[in-house]
Amino acid sequence: MPFQLPELPYPHAALEPVIDSLTMQIHHGKHHQAYVTNLNKAIEGTPLDGMGIEEILKGLDMTNMAVRNNGGGHYNHSLFWSIMGPNAGGAPGGALAEAINAAFGSFEAFKEKFGQAGITRFGSGWAWLCVQPGGKLDLCSTPNQDNPLMPNTGCGGTPILGLDVWEHAYYLHYQNRRPDYVAAWWTVVNWTEVERRYAAGR
Ligand code: MN
Protein backbone atom coordinates (compact mmCIF):
# COMPACT_ATOMS: atom_id res chain seq x y z
CA MET A 1 0.00 0.00 0.00
CA PRO A 2 1.75 3.20 -1.08
CA PHE A 3 1.81 6.26 1.15
CA GLN A 4 -1.09 8.65 0.73
CA LEU A 5 -1.62 12.33 1.35
CA PRO A 6 -3.52 12.63 4.65
CA GLU A 7 -6.60 14.81 4.59
CA LEU A 8 -6.30 18.13 6.34
CA PRO A 9 -8.16 17.88 9.66
CA TYR A 10 -9.77 21.31 9.02
CA PRO A 11 -10.74 23.45 5.98
CA HIS A 12 -8.00 25.33 4.10
CA ALA A 13 -9.25 28.66 5.41
CA ALA A 14 -9.52 27.52 9.04
CA LEU A 15 -6.19 28.99 10.10
CA GLU A 16 -6.77 32.45 8.63
CA PRO A 17 -5.57 35.10 9.11
CA VAL A 18 -2.41 33.45 10.53
CA ILE A 19 -2.03 31.10 7.55
CA ASP A 20 -4.00 32.07 4.47
CA SER A 21 -6.17 29.66 2.53
CA LEU A 22 -4.14 29.78 -0.71
CA THR A 23 -0.93 28.97 1.16
CA MET A 24 -2.65 25.99 2.77
CA GLN A 25 -4.02 24.78 -0.57
CA ILE A 26 -0.60 24.89 -2.24
CA HIS A 27 1.32 23.68 0.80
CA HIS A 28 -0.89 20.66 1.43
CA GLY A 29 -2.18 19.86 -2.04
CA LYS A 30 0.99 20.53 -4.05
CA HIS A 31 4.07 20.43 -1.81
CA HIS A 32 3.00 17.63 0.53
CA GLN A 33 1.46 15.69 -2.34
CA ALA A 34 4.76 15.90 -4.22
CA TYR A 35 6.65 14.48 -1.22
CA VAL A 36 4.21 11.57 -1.06
CA THR A 37 4.39 10.88 -4.81
CA ASN A 38 8.18 11.04 -4.90
CA LEU A 39 8.55 8.95 -1.73
CA ASN A 40 6.43 6.22 -3.28
CA LYS A 41 8.55 6.32 -6.44
CA ALA A 42 11.78 6.18 -4.41
CA ILE A 43 10.82 3.11 -2.35
CA GLU A 44 8.98 1.12 -5.01
CA GLY A 45 10.57 -2.31 -5.35
CA THR A 46 13.11 -1.67 -2.57
CA PRO A 47 13.25 -3.25 0.92
CA LEU A 48 11.66 -0.03 2.28
CA ASP A 49 8.45 -0.76 0.36
CA GLY A 50 5.78 -1.71 2.90
CA MET A 51 7.55 -0.29 5.95
CA GLY A 52 5.99 2.44 8.11
CA ILE A 53 7.29 5.98 7.70
CA GLU A 54 8.77 6.18 11.20
CA GLU A 55 10.57 2.86 10.72
CA ILE A 56 11.95 4.08 7.38
CA LEU A 57 13.23 7.34 8.86
CA LYS A 58 14.77 5.78 11.99
CA GLY A 59 16.79 3.33 9.93
CA LEU A 60 17.51 5.71 7.06
CA ASP A 61 20.70 5.64 5.02
CA MET A 62 21.28 9.41 4.98
CA THR A 63 22.96 9.18 1.56
CA ASN A 64 19.60 8.08 0.11
CA MET A 65 18.56 11.62 -0.73
CA ALA A 66 15.25 10.76 -2.42
CA VAL A 67 13.92 8.99 0.67
CA ARG A 68 15.58 11.46 3.04
CA ASN A 69 13.95 14.48 1.37
CA ASN A 70 10.58 13.01 0.47
CA GLY A 71 10.15 10.67 3.43
CA GLY A 72 11.10 13.52 5.73
CA GLY A 73 8.76 15.82 3.85
CA HIS A 74 5.85 13.40 4.20
CA TYR A 75 6.40 12.78 7.92
CA ASN A 76 7.09 16.41 8.78
CA HIS A 77 4.04 17.79 7.04
CA SER A 78 1.74 15.09 8.43
CA LEU A 79 2.84 16.15 11.91
CA PHE A 80 2.59 19.84 11.05
CA TRP A 81 -1.08 19.70 9.97
CA SER A 82 -2.01 17.76 13.10
CA ILE A 83 -0.47 20.16 15.60
CA MET A 84 -2.34 23.17 14.23
CA GLY A 85 -6.03 23.98 14.25
CA PRO A 86 -8.71 26.61 14.53
CA ASN A 87 -9.75 27.78 18.01
CA ALA A 88 -6.25 26.91 19.18
CA GLY A 89 -3.32 28.72 20.74
CA GLY A 90 -3.04 29.50 24.42
CA ALA A 91 -0.71 27.34 26.48
CA PRO A 92 -0.23 23.63 27.17
CA GLY A 93 -1.35 22.07 30.42
CA GLY A 94 -0.68 19.03 32.55
CA ALA A 95 2.49 16.99 32.28
CA LEU A 96 3.64 18.81 29.15
CA ALA A 97 3.42 22.20 30.87
CA GLU A 98 5.47 20.82 33.77
CA ALA A 99 8.09 19.39 31.41
CA ILE A 100 8.35 22.72 29.54
CA ASN A 101 8.85 24.59 32.80
CA ALA A 102 11.48 22.05 33.91
CA ALA A 103 13.40 22.25 30.64
CA PHE A 104 13.12 25.93 29.78
CA GLY A 105 12.11 27.77 32.95
CA SER A 106 8.75 29.01 31.67
CA PHE A 107 6.38 28.75 28.71
CA GLU A 108 7.40 32.24 27.60
CA ALA A 109 11.09 31.30 27.71
CA PHE A 110 10.33 28.16 25.71
CA LYS A 111 8.45 30.12 23.04
CA GLU A 112 11.32 32.56 22.72
CA LYS A 113 13.91 29.81 22.32
CA PHE A 114 11.80 27.72 19.93
CA GLY A 115 10.94 30.79 17.85
CA GLN A 116 14.60 31.73 17.60
CA ALA A 117 15.43 28.20 16.43
CA GLY A 118 13.02 28.71 13.55
CA ILE A 119 13.96 32.31 12.78
CA THR A 120 17.70 31.62 12.73
CA ARG A 121 17.51 28.45 10.62
CA PHE A 122 19.35 29.59 7.48
CA GLY A 123 17.45 28.73 4.31
CA SER A 124 14.81 26.03 4.65
CA GLY A 125 14.08 23.75 7.56
CA TRP A 126 12.20 23.11 10.77
CA ALA A 127 12.23 23.88 14.48
CA TRP A 128 11.40 20.94 16.74
CA LEU A 129 10.35 20.14 20.27
CA CYS A 130 11.17 16.50 21.05
CA VAL A 131 10.46 14.19 23.95
CA GLN A 132 13.07 11.72 25.19
CA PRO A 133 12.18 8.39 26.80
CA GLY A 134 11.32 9.33 30.41
CA GLY A 135 9.73 12.61 29.40
CA LYS A 136 12.59 15.12 29.15
CA LEU A 137 12.17 17.73 26.41
CA ASP A 138 14.74 18.94 23.91
CA LEU A 139 14.57 21.71 21.33
CA CYS A 140 16.48 21.72 18.05
CA SER A 141 16.36 22.62 14.39
CA THR A 142 17.06 20.73 11.18
CA PRO A 143 17.73 21.82 7.58
CA ASN A 144 15.56 20.94 4.59
CA GLN A 145 13.21 18.00 5.36
CA ASP A 146 15.48 16.31 7.89
CA ASN A 147 13.89 15.46 11.21
CA PRO A 148 14.82 14.14 14.65
CA LEU A 149 13.86 10.54 13.86
CA MET A 150 16.68 10.32 11.32
CA PRO A 151 20.17 9.26 12.45
CA ASN A 152 22.86 11.82 13.19
CA THR A 153 20.92 15.03 12.62
CA GLY A 154 22.00 16.61 15.90
CA CYS A 155 18.35 16.29 16.96
CA GLY A 156 16.98 13.29 18.81
CA GLY A 157 13.87 11.87 20.40
CA THR A 158 10.30 11.86 19.21
CA PRO A 159 9.11 15.14 17.68
CA ILE A 160 5.90 16.43 19.28
CA LEU A 161 5.86 19.98 17.86
CA GLY A 162 7.34 21.12 14.56
CA LEU A 163 7.39 24.46 12.79
CA ASP A 164 7.91 24.62 9.04
CA VAL A 165 10.08 27.65 8.19
CA TRP A 166 10.42 26.96 4.47
CA GLU A 167 9.44 30.05 2.49
CA HIS A 168 6.60 28.05 0.89
CA ALA A 169 4.97 27.95 4.35
CA TYR A 170 4.61 31.71 4.69
CA TYR A 171 5.85 33.72 1.70
CA LEU A 172 2.50 34.61 0.08
CA HIS A 173 1.26 36.35 3.23
CA TYR A 174 4.44 37.34 5.08
CA GLN A 175 6.97 37.63 2.21
CA ASN A 176 10.41 37.85 3.86
CA ARG A 177 9.04 38.50 7.37
CA ARG A 178 9.69 35.08 8.86
CA PRO A 179 9.71 36.45 12.44
CA ASP A 180 6.14 37.76 11.97
CA TYR A 181 4.98 34.31 10.76
CA VAL A 182 6.67 32.61 13.72
CA ALA A 183 5.15 35.06 16.21
CA ALA A 184 1.63 34.62 14.77
CA TRP A 185 1.92 30.84 14.48
CA TRP A 186 1.58 30.29 18.23
CA THR A 187 -2.10 31.26 18.00
CA VAL A 188 -2.87 28.23 15.80
CA VAL A 189 -0.95 25.59 17.78
CA ASN A 190 -3.23 22.75 18.88
CA TRP A 191 -1.80 22.02 22.33
CA THR A 192 -4.24 19.17 22.91
CA GLU A 193 -2.53 17.25 20.10
CA VAL A 194 0.96 18.19 21.31
CA GLU A 195 0.03 16.97 24.80
CA ARG A 196 -1.21 13.70 23.31
CA ARG A 197 2.05 13.24 21.42
CA TYR A 198 4.03 14.04 24.57
CA ALA A 199 2.13 11.40 26.57
CA ALA A 200 2.62 8.82 23.82
CA GLY A 201 6.32 9.57 23.31
CA ARG A 202 7.60 9.90 26.87
MN1 MN B 1 6.40 22.77 4.03
PDB file of all heavy atoms in Angstrom, residues 27-28 31-32 35 73 76-77 80-81 125-126 145 164-169 181, ligand 1:
ATOM      1  N   HIS A  27       0.408  24.382  -0.109  1.00  0.00           N
ATOM      2  CA  HIS A  27       1.323  23.678   0.797  1.00  0.00           C
ATOM      3  C   HIS A  27       0.897  22.214   0.979  1.00  0.00           C
ATOM      4  O   HIS A  27       1.703  21.292   0.883  1.00  0.00           O
ATOM      5  CB  HIS A  27       1.350  24.416   2.140  1.00  0.00           C
ATOM      6  CG  HIS A  27       2.528  24.127   2.992  1.00  0.00           C
ATOM      7  ND1 HIS A  27       2.704  24.734   4.211  1.00  0.00           N
ATOM      8  CD2 HIS A  27       3.589  23.283   2.845  1.00  0.00           C
ATOM      9  CE1 HIS A  27       3.829  24.291   4.752  1.00  0.00           C
ATOM     10  NE2 HIS A  27       4.378  23.410   3.947  1.00  0.00           N
ATOM     11  N   HIS A  28      -0.380  22.017   1.223  1.00  0.00           N
ATOM     12  CA  HIS A  28      -0.893  20.658   1.433  1.00  0.00           C
ATOM     13  C   HIS A  28      -1.080  19.928   0.095  1.00  0.00           C
ATOM     14  O   HIS A  28      -0.569  18.825  -0.098  1.00  0.00           O
ATOM     15  CB  HIS A  28      -2.225  20.720   2.206  1.00  0.00           C
ATOM     16  CG  HIS A  28      -2.878  19.390   2.391  1.00  0.00           C
ATOM     17  ND1 HIS A  28      -3.941  18.978   1.619  1.00  0.00           N
ATOM     18  CD2 HIS A  28      -2.620  18.370   3.245  1.00  0.00           C
ATOM     19  CE1 HIS A  28      -4.316  17.769   1.997  1.00  0.00           C
ATOM     20  NE2 HIS A  28      -3.539  17.376   2.986  1.00  0.00           N
ATOM     21  N   HIS A  31       2.772  20.795  -2.404  1.00  0.00           N
ATOM     22  CA  HIS A  31       4.067  20.432  -1.806  1.00  0.00           C
ATOM     23  C   HIS A  31       4.007  19.065  -1.110  1.00  0.00           C
ATOM     24  O   HIS A  31       4.814  18.186  -1.385  1.00  0.00           O
ATOM     25  CB  HIS A  31       4.526  21.510  -0.816  1.00  0.00           C
ATOM     26  CG  HIS A  31       4.947  22.784  -1.471  1.00  0.00           C
ATOM     27  ND1 HIS A  31       6.212  22.984  -1.995  1.00  0.00           N
ATOM     28  CD2 HIS A  31       4.261  23.926  -1.717  1.00  0.00           C
ATOM     29  CE1 HIS A  31       6.284  24.190  -2.515  1.00  0.00           C
ATOM     30  NE2 HIS A  31       5.115  24.789  -2.363  1.00  0.00           N
ATOM     31  N   HIS A  32       3.057  18.915  -0.191  1.00  0.00           N
ATOM     32  CA  HIS A  32       3.002  17.635   0.530  1.00  0.00           C
ATOM     33  C   HIS A  32       2.684  16.494  -0.430  1.00  0.00           C
ATOM     34  O   HIS A  32       3.284  15.418  -0.345  1.00  0.00           O
ATOM     35  CB  HIS A  32       1.980  17.712   1.677  1.00  0.00           C
ATOM     36  CG  HIS A  32       2.032  16.539   2.611  1.00  0.00           C
ATOM     37  ND1 HIS A  32       1.325  16.502   3.784  1.00  0.00           N
ATOM     38  CD2 HIS A  32       2.697  15.356   2.544  1.00  0.00           C
ATOM     39  CE1 HIS A  32       1.571  15.340   4.406  1.00  0.00           C
ATOM     40  NE2 HIS A  32       2.391  14.634   3.664  1.00  0.00           N
ATOM     41  N   TYR A  35       5.812  15.332  -2.076  1.00  0.00           N
ATOM     42  CA  TYR A  35       6.652  14.478  -1.220  1.00  0.00           C
ATOM     43  C   TYR A  35       6.123  13.046  -1.189  1.00  0.00           C
ATOM     44  O   TYR A  35       6.893  12.088  -1.256  1.00  0.00           O
ATOM     45  CB  TYR A  35       6.717  15.042   0.215  1.00  0.00           C
ATOM     46  CG  TYR A  35       7.358  16.405   0.330  1.00  0.00           C
ATOM     47  CD1 TYR A  35       6.695  17.463   0.957  1.00  0.00           C
ATOM     48  CD2 TYR A  35       8.635  16.650  -0.190  1.00  0.00           C
ATOM     49  CE1 TYR A  35       7.271  18.718   1.068  1.00  0.00           C
ATOM     50  CE2 TYR A  35       9.211  17.910  -0.086  1.00  0.00           C
ATOM     51  CZ  TYR A  35       8.529  18.939   0.540  1.00  0.00           C
ATOM     52  OH  TYR A  35       9.090  20.179   0.644  1.00  0.00           O
ATOM     53  N   GLY A  73       9.819  14.876   4.205  1.00  0.00           N
ATOM     54  CA  GLY A  73       8.758  15.819   3.848  1.00  0.00           C
ATOM     55  C   GLY A  73       7.375  15.277   4.173  1.00  0.00           C
ATOM     56  O   GLY A  73       6.517  16.000   4.682  1.00  0.00           O
ATOM     57  N   ASN A  76       7.096  15.088   8.158  1.00  0.00           N
ATOM     58  CA  ASN A  76       7.089  16.412   8.785  1.00  0.00           C
ATOM     59  C   ASN A  76       5.771  17.140   8.567  1.00  0.00           C
ATOM     60  O   ASN A  76       5.218  17.749   9.474  1.00  0.00           O
ATOM     61  CB  ASN A  76       8.242  17.261   8.237  1.00  0.00           C
ATOM     62  CG  ASN A  76       9.604  16.688   8.583  1.00  0.00           C
ATOM     63  OD1 ASN A  76       9.719  15.792   9.430  1.00  0.00           O
ATOM     64  ND2 ASN A  76      10.645  17.174   7.923  1.00  0.00           N
ATOM     65  N   HIS A  77       5.282  17.079   7.330  1.00  0.00           N
ATOM     66  CA  HIS A  77       4.036  17.791   7.043  1.00  0.00           C
ATOM     67  C   HIS A  77       2.830  17.102   7.684  1.00  0.00           C
ATOM     68  O   HIS A  77       1.900  17.778   8.133  1.00  0.00           O
ATOM     69  CB  HIS A  77       3.861  17.986   5.539  1.00  0.00           C
ATOM     70  CG  HIS A  77       4.818  19.000   4.987  1.00  0.00           C
ATOM     71  ND1 HIS A  77       6.097  18.669   4.613  1.00  0.00           N
ATOM     72  CD2 HIS A  77       4.705  20.346   4.823  1.00  0.00           C
ATOM     73  CE1 HIS A  77       6.727  19.780   4.213  1.00  0.00           C
ATOM     74  NE2 HIS A  77       5.901  20.815   4.335  1.00  0.00           N
ATOM     75  N   PHE A  80       2.874  18.398  11.039  1.00  0.00           N
ATOM     76  CA  PHE A  80       2.590  19.843  11.052  1.00  0.00           C
ATOM     77  C   PHE A  80       1.088  20.126  10.991  1.00  0.00           C
ATOM     78  O   PHE A  80       0.565  20.931  11.763  1.00  0.00           O
ATOM     79  CB  PHE A  80       3.321  20.492   9.881  1.00  0.00           C
ATOM     80  CG  PHE A  80       3.324  21.996   9.867  1.00  0.00           C
ATOM     81  CD1 PHE A  80       3.772  22.719  10.947  1.00  0.00           C
ATOM     82  CD2 PHE A  80       2.924  22.690   8.724  1.00  0.00           C
ATOM     83  CE1 PHE A  80       3.806  24.113  10.914  1.00  0.00           C
ATOM     84  CE2 PHE A  80       2.960  24.072   8.672  1.00  0.00           C
ATOM     85  CZ  PHE A  80       3.404  24.794   9.774  1.00  0.00           C
ATOM     86  N   TRP A  81       0.367  19.458  10.076  1.00  0.00           N
ATOM     87  CA  TRP A  81      -1.085  19.704   9.969  1.00  0.00           C
ATOM     88  C   TRP A  81      -1.776  19.339  11.285  1.00  0.00           C
ATOM     89  O   TRP A  81      -2.716  19.999  11.702  1.00  0.00           O
ATOM     90  CB  TRP A  81      -1.721  18.910   8.830  1.00  0.00           C
ATOM     91  CG  TRP A  81      -1.011  18.955   7.520  1.00  0.00           C
ATOM     92  CD1 TRP A  81      -0.718  17.884   6.714  1.00  0.00           C
ATOM     93  CD2 TRP A  81      -0.503  20.110   6.824  1.00  0.00           C
ATOM     94  NE1 TRP A  81      -0.054  18.299   5.586  1.00  0.00           N
ATOM     95  CE2 TRP A  81       0.091  19.656   5.625  1.00  0.00           C
ATOM     96  CE3 TRP A  81      -0.489  21.481   7.099  1.00  0.00           C
ATOM     97  CZ2 TRP A  81       0.695  20.513   4.701  1.00  0.00           C
ATOM     98  CZ3 TRP A  81       0.123  22.340   6.186  1.00  0.00           C
ATOM     99  CH2 TRP A  81       0.700  21.861   5.015  1.00  0.00           C
ATOM    100  N   GLY A 125      13.980  24.770   6.530  1.00  0.00           N
ATOM    101  CA  GLY A 125      14.080  23.750   7.563  1.00  0.00           C
ATOM    102  C   GLY A 125      12.955  23.835   8.566  1.00  0.00           C
ATOM    103  O   GLY A 125      11.892  24.399   8.287  1.00  0.00           O
ATOM    104  N   TRP A 126      13.225  23.279   9.732  1.00  0.00           N
ATOM    105  CA  TRP A 126      12.204  23.111  10.766  1.00  0.00           C
ATOM    106  C   TRP A 126      12.782  23.392  12.141  1.00  0.00           C
ATOM    107  O   TRP A 126      13.964  23.129  12.387  1.00  0.00           O
ATOM    108  CB  TRP A 126      11.691  21.666  10.760  1.00  0.00           C
ATOM    109  CG  TRP A 126      10.915  21.305   9.535  1.00  0.00           C
ATOM    110  CD1 TRP A 126      11.425  21.056   8.280  1.00  0.00           C
ATOM    111  CD2 TRP A 126       9.500  21.165   9.418  1.00  0.00           C
ATOM    112  NE1 TRP A 126      10.402  20.772   7.402  1.00  0.00           N
ATOM    113  CE2 TRP A 126       9.220  20.828   8.082  1.00  0.00           C
ATOM    114  CE3 TRP A 126       8.446  21.289  10.324  1.00  0.00           C
ATOM    115  CZ2 TRP A 126       7.917  20.617   7.627  1.00  0.00           C
ATOM    116  CZ3 TRP A 126       7.154  21.075   9.868  1.00  0.00           C
ATOM    117  CH2 TRP A 126       6.888  20.744   8.534  1.00  0.00           C
ATOM    118  N   GLN A 145      14.277  18.838   4.779  1.00  0.00           N
ATOM    119  CA  GLN A 145      13.212  18.004   5.358  1.00  0.00           C
ATOM    120  C   GLN A 145      13.778  16.968   6.326  1.00  0.00           C
ATOM    121  O   GLN A 145      13.113  15.954   6.613  1.00  0.00           O
ATOM    122  CB  GLN A 145      12.373  17.331   4.255  1.00  0.00           C
ATOM    123  CG  GLN A 145      11.613  18.277   3.358  1.00  0.00           C
ATOM    124  CD  GLN A 145      10.558  19.106   4.097  1.00  0.00           C
ATOM    125  OE1 GLN A 145      10.288  18.902   5.282  1.00  0.00           O
ATOM    126  NE2 GLN A 145       9.959  20.058   3.390  1.00  0.00           N
ATOM    127  N   ASP A 164       7.381  24.554  10.403  1.00  0.00           N
ATOM    128  CA  ASP A 164       7.912  24.621   9.040  1.00  0.00           C
ATOM    129  C   ASP A 164       8.335  26.064   8.765  1.00  0.00           C
ATOM    130  O   ASP A 164       7.487  26.962   8.770  1.00  0.00           O
ATOM    131  CB  ASP A 164       6.810  24.183   8.068  1.00  0.00           C
ATOM    132  CG  ASP A 164       7.289  24.032   6.630  1.00  0.00           C
ATOM    133  OD1 ASP A 164       8.373  24.538   6.299  1.00  0.00           O
ATOM    134  OD2 ASP A 164       6.545  23.411   5.848  1.00  0.00           O
ATOM    135  N   VAL A 165       9.635  26.291   8.523  1.00  0.00           N
ATOM    136  CA  VAL A 165      10.083  27.653   8.187  1.00  0.00           C
ATOM    137  C   VAL A 165      10.584  27.751   6.742  1.00  0.00           C
ATOM    138  O   VAL A 165      11.313  28.675   6.400  1.00  0.00           O
ATOM    139  CB  VAL A 165      11.134  28.195   9.191  1.00  0.00           C
ATOM    140  CG1 VAL A 165      10.514  28.356  10.577  1.00  0.00           C
ATOM    141  CG2 VAL A 165      12.388  27.340   9.255  1.00  0.00           C
ATOM    142  N   TRP A 166      10.199  26.781   5.908  1.00  0.00           N
ATOM    143  CA  TRP A 166      10.425  26.955   4.471  1.00  0.00           C
ATOM    144  C   TRP A 166       9.638  28.181   3.993  1.00  0.00           C
ATOM    145  O   TRP A 166       8.521  28.432   4.472  1.00  0.00           O
ATOM    146  CB  TRP A 166       9.916  25.724   3.702  1.00  0.00           C
ATOM    147  CG  TRP A 166      10.786  24.511   3.756  1.00  0.00           C
ATOM    148  CD1 TRP A 166      11.200  23.826   4.866  1.00  0.00           C
ATOM    149  CD2 TRP A 166      11.327  23.801   2.622  1.00  0.00           C
ATOM    150  NE1 TRP A 166      11.960  22.753   4.494  1.00  0.00           N
ATOM    151  CE2 TRP A 166      12.054  22.712   3.127  1.00  0.00           C
ATOM    152  CE3 TRP A 166      11.255  23.990   1.238  1.00  0.00           C
ATOM    153  CZ2 TRP A 166      12.721  21.805   2.283  1.00  0.00           C
ATOM    154  CZ3 TRP A 166      11.909  23.087   0.410  1.00  0.00           C
ATOM    155  CH2 TRP A 166      12.643  22.011   0.936  1.00  0.00           C
ATOM    156  N   GLU A 167      10.177  28.881   3.006  1.00  0.00           N
ATOM    157  CA  GLU A 167       9.439  30.045   2.491  1.00  0.00           C
ATOM    158  C   GLU A 167       8.058  29.664   1.963  1.00  0.00           C
ATOM    159  O   GLU A 167       7.122  30.448   2.037  1.00  0.00           O
ATOM    160  CB  GLU A 167      10.257  30.760   1.402  1.00  0.00           C
ATOM    161  CG  GLU A 167      11.383  31.598   1.990  1.00  0.00           C
ATOM    162  CD  GLU A 167      12.099  32.439   0.948  1.00  0.00           C
ATOM    163  OE1 GLU A 167      11.928  32.180  -0.263  1.00  0.00           O
ATOM    164  OE2 GLU A 167      12.850  33.346   1.354  1.00  0.00           O
ATOM    165  N   HIS A 168       7.918  28.436   1.433  1.00  0.00           N
ATOM    166  CA  HIS A 168       6.604  28.046   0.886  1.00  0.00           C
ATOM    167  C   HIS A 168       5.521  28.036   1.972  1.00  0.00           C
ATOM    168  O   HIS A 168       4.337  28.039   1.661  1.00  0.00           O
ATOM    169  CB  HIS A 168       6.667  26.704   0.142  1.00  0.00           C
ATOM    170  CG  HIS A 168       6.912  25.483   0.980  1.00  0.00           C
ATOM    171  ND1 HIS A 168       7.766  24.465   0.596  1.00  0.00           N
ATOM    172  CD2 HIS A 168       6.410  25.084   2.176  1.00  0.00           C
ATOM    173  CE1 HIS A 168       7.759  23.513   1.509  1.00  0.00           C
ATOM    174  NE2 HIS A 168       6.955  23.858   2.482  1.00  0.00           N
ATOM    175  N   ALA A 169       5.935  27.997   3.250  1.00  0.00           N
ATOM    176  CA  ALA A 169       4.972  27.953   4.348  1.00  0.00           C
ATOM    177  C   ALA A 169       4.384  29.327   4.672  1.00  0.00           C
ATOM    178  O   ALA A 169       3.341  29.412   5.316  1.00  0.00           O
ATOM    179  CB  ALA A 169       5.634  27.371   5.598  1.00  0.00           C
ATOM    180  N   TYR A 181       5.651  35.625  10.911  1.00  0.00           N
ATOM    181  CA  TYR A 181       4.983  34.314  10.761  1.00  0.00           C
ATOM    182  C   TYR A 181       5.172  33.478  12.020  1.00  0.00           C
ATOM    183  O   TYR A 181       4.205  32.913  12.558  1.00  0.00           O
ATOM    184  CB  TYR A 181       5.564  33.621   9.531  1.00  0.00           C
ATOM    185  CG  TYR A 181       5.421  32.117   9.457  1.00  0.00           C
ATOM    186  CD1 TYR A 181       4.175  31.510   9.283  1.00  0.00           C
ATOM    187  CD2 TYR A 181       6.553  31.295   9.513  1.00  0.00           C
ATOM    188  CE1 TYR A 181       4.066  30.128   9.172  1.00  0.00           C
ATOM    189  CE2 TYR A 181       6.452  29.923   9.410  1.00  0.00           C
ATOM    190  CZ  TYR A 181       5.206  29.334   9.242  1.00  0.00           C
ATOM    191  OH  TYR A 181       5.111  27.966   9.140  1.00  0.00           O
TER     192      TYR A 181
HETATM  193 MN    MN B   1       6.399  22.770   4.026  1.00  0.00          MN
END
